[in-house]
């Protein structure tokens, strides 16, 4: 296993902060981002955005984009599932749907 590195710095754009406040999750956002950084210590890139659902009108989410290298399909499924489980430890169930993980495997 490669040594753990410092996760990339994560800047929260003003539009994400405003959307989090609008959705009632602003108090949870810092903890979610911290958990994500701990969960992906070897991430190549992290970003947080507000994304519109392309299929459902007026359906928007906070997406934490994470690029990681070298995951097998099995590892991808496991690490994605674990992130979701940890999210429930931080955010009340009715508000979980505001957050999404955008996990990408890179070279």
């Amino acid at each position: 296993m490669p040594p753990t590195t410092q996760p990339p710095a994560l800047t929260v754009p003003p539009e994400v902060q405003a959307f989090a406040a609008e959705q009632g999750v602003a108090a949870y956002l810092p903890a979610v981002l911290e958990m994500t950084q701990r969960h992906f210590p070897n991430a190549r890139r992290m970003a947080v955005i507000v994304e519109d659902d392309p299929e459902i009108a007026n359906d928007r989410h906070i997406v934490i984009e994470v690029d990681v290298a070298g995951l097998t399909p099995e590892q991808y499924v496991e690490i994605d599932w674990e992130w979701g489980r940890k999210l429930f430890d931080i955010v009340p169930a009715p508000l979980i749907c505001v957050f999404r993980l955008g996990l990408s495997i890179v070279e």
Side-chain angles (χ1 to χ4, degrees):
M1 177 180 229
T4 301
T5 60
Q6 182 68 20
L10 192 54
T11 302
V12 181
E15 61 270 14
V16 172
Q17 293 172 347
F19 183 72
E22 174 187 309
Q23 296 300 307
V25 298
Y28 306 106
L29 183 59
V32 170
L33 297 177
E34 182 181 317
M35 175 274 291
T36 302
Q37 288 181 300
R38 281 193 321 269
H39 192 66
F40 297 101
N42 295 319
R44 298 270 177 95
R45 181 186 74 86
M46 284 190 185
V48 60
I49 63 169
V50 175
E51 185 174 81
D52 294 318
D53 189 304
E55 297 177 352
I56 302 171
N58 302 316
D59 189 25
R60 302 175 77 204
H61 306 276
I62 295 172
V63 178
I64 305 165
E65 297 178 330
V66 180
D67 292 351
V68 294
L71 292 181
T72 65
E74 293 81 10
Q75 290 170 320
Y76 178 97
V77 170
E78 181 65 24
I79 204 164
D80 183 64
W81 184 87
E82 281 188 24
W83 182 87
R85 186 186 58 73
K86 289 178 180 181
L87 188 63
F88 274 95
D89 292 339
I90 299 169
V91 181
L95 300 175
I96 287 288
C97 61
V98 175
F99 295 96
R100 301 276 168 93
L101 177 64
L103 183 58
S104 297
I105 302 172
V106 298
E107 299 263 339

